[in-house]
Amino acid sequence: MFPEKVDKVVLDGNVNVQEYYSGWEVQSISSLDSVVQGFYDGCVANPEECALAKEGQTSQDVSNAVDTFLATLRYSPIVVKMDDDSMIITYDKVKSFMFESMYRPASWPAVAVLLDLLVQGNSTGYVETLEQMAQGGNGTDREAPDAFKGIRCGDVAFRADTLSAFDPFKDAVVPTSKWGGLDFGLDNIMQCAPWKMRAKEVYSGSWSDIRTRNPLLIIGNTYDPVTPLISARNNSAAFVGSVVLQHNGYGHCSIAQPSLCSAKYVQAYFNNGTLPAPGTICEVDVPLFSSETWTNAFSSISLNGTTTGMAKRSVEDSALLKAMTGLSRSPARYGRA
């Protein structure tokens, strides 16, 4: 609301601001198919860490096996009887936990275990494993808190009280993702359209030539399931002097698949106001479905070539990477972005 008064701001995981306030978010899941493809590609590239990977299979073969199972499950839910209880495995539940896992690549090995059990017909094993993971805080399936709806729905402009009012939006958003356009593309708009309250202060100004006290650092993942890189670029166009740092990784926000390169640009920005050069791309440092630790990956790195520098860098980088890895494995996921 007062861009001239804030100091330094990093925007990571960008919703297209104009679509957000209108409530007409067509762009949100435009990278989702690429993220899902990354799940299958990463699985086949690291078969020792991915239960779905079978000898001789391509990523398309693995994807086809899961899609075939889901197509059957859509119309034929599975009832699993336990000791004194039962669980119904439905298309909605399985597809939703898959979608939520796309936020956090660190959860993908666990997701592959669950999907493999289902594809192999071991529904009892799926339920037992899911319960064990829930007890261990795996966090692959969490509800969004009510605050999410209260904030978003109070901000957005679109309101409707008939299903036909959603048809133009459905026609626009469904084609943006073959995997999830219909299943998830309408989530936000359906939740907020009947919302009765409006926020006391809703921004209604211009989205061009906005001048901040310091230029913004805007970060966008190449493969983000709900806040695509194009949204980061669109937002940057509104803020004078801002720069987009492309984080060439998967998941929601740059911490989902950490990169020392990205982290150091953030550090430099907050420490001395330095922005990366326009067009900068930061690579992530550990492959998807990898058992390699961040400490091992960077233990031998030196950026200045001196022994003293290597020792100092190792301590600093290890601490930074440990912190980022902890964040990437956090189970909390606060609703759709």
Side-chain angles (χ1 to χ4, degrees):
M1 295 294 186
F2 308 101
E4 75 284 356
K5 294 184 178 180
V6 297
D7 189 15
K8 300 181 183 72
V9 176
V10 174
L11 301 179
D12 189 354
N14 286 255
V15 176
N16 182 310
V17 290
Q18 298 183 62
E19 289 191 353
Y20 171 86
Y21 280 103
S22 70
W24 206 259
E25 295 180 76
V26 175
Q27 202 171 80
S28 177
I29 58 173
S30 58
S31 292
L32 178 57
D33 287 354
S34 296
V35 182
V36 175
Q37 186 62 49
F39 171 80
Y40 291 118
D41 289 344
C43 173
V44 171
N46 294 278
E48 296 83 5
E49 303 296 328
C50 182
L52 276 169
K54 309 301 178 190
E55 186 175 357
Q57 287 191 337
T58 65
S59 59
Q60 190 60 56
D61 293 331
V62 179
S63 174
N64 289 342
V66 175
D67 288 345
T68 298
F69 168 79
L70 288 172
T72 302
L73 186 65
R74 181 191 285 270
Y75 300 105
S76 303
I78 300 171
V79 179
V80 180
K81 294 183 179 180
M82 309 300 286
D83 293 337
D84 299 313
D85 199 0
S86 62
M87 173 183 280
I88 301 177
I89 303 173
T90 65
Y91 172 88
D92 175 67
K93 288 180 180 178
V94 175
K95 193 74 178 283
S96 292
F97 104 75
M98 286 183 67
F99 174 60
E100 293 202 359
S101 77
M102 294 300 114
Y103 282 65
R104 296 192 307 111
S107 73
W108 289 3
V111 173
V113 169
L114 292 168
L115 290 176
D116 186 57
L117 288 168
L118 290 174
V119 170
Q120 300 303 322
N122 189 355
S123 54
T124 300
Y126 166 82
V127 172
E128 293 174 347
T129 304
L130 189 64
E131 290 178 346
Q132 291 173 3
M133 289 180 175
Q135 293 171 0
N138 177 265
T140 55
D141 187 8
R142 294 204 32 160
E143 296 285 339
D146 291 338
F148 168 74
K149 294 179 184 177
I151 294 170
R152 171 184 288 277
C153 298
D155 283 341
V156 303
F158 181 78
R159 294 291 188 272
D161 54 13
T162 64
L163 286 176
S164 60
F166 297 97
D167 287 344
F169 179 80
K170 181 188 71 175
D171 293 341
V173 76
V174 169
T176 66
S177 171
K178 181 180 179 181
W179 188 84
L182 183 60
D183 288 336
F184 306 109
L186 283 82
D187 282 2
N188 286 341
I189 197 170
M190 292 288 285
Q191 290 178 5
C192 292
W195 198 261
K196 302 299 182 183
M197 296 174 286
R198 294 297 303 272
K200 187 174 182 180
E201 292 184 286
V202 178
Y203 181 75
S204 58
S206 171
W207 287 110
S208 63
D209 200 35
I210 301 174
R211 298 181 181 274
T212 53
R213 181 177 175 183
N214 291 292
L216 306 183
L217 173 56
I218 297 177
I219 304 176
N221 282 14
T222 306
Y223 310 103
D224 189 307
V226 290
T227 53
L229 180 61
I230 189 174
S231 294
R233 290 174 173 156
N234 287 340
N235 290 352
S236 179
F239 293 94
V240 176
S242 65
V243 171
V244 174
L245 172 63
Q246 182 176 347
H247 179 89
N248 202 27
Y250 288 84
H252 180 46
C253 298
S254 61
I255 61 171
Q257 194 180 6
S259 160
L260 197 61
C261 168
S262 295
K264 287 185 176 179
Y265 275 120
V266 172
Q267 281 187 328
Y269 174 69
F270 279 120
N271 287 338
N272 52 42
T274 303
L275 286 168
T280 297
I281 301 175
C282 276
E283 300 296 336
V284 295
D285 301 289
V286 175
L288 300 171
F289 288 94
S290 174
S291 59
E292 185 176 11
T293 66
W294 296 105
T295 302
N296 291 341
F298 289 96
S299 59
S300 60
I301 285 182
S302 169
L303 299 188
N304 61 15
T306 66
T307 304
T308 302
M310 288 179 68
K312 183 178 180 182
R313 180 64 62 184
S314 177
V315 172
E316 292 177 351
D317 289 358
S318 294
L320 181 57
L321 290 164
K322 181 178 180 180
M324 289 193 299
T325 304
L327 288 171
S328 73
R329 293 174 179 170
S330 172
R333 207 277 290 165
Y334 299 110
R336 277 281 301 278

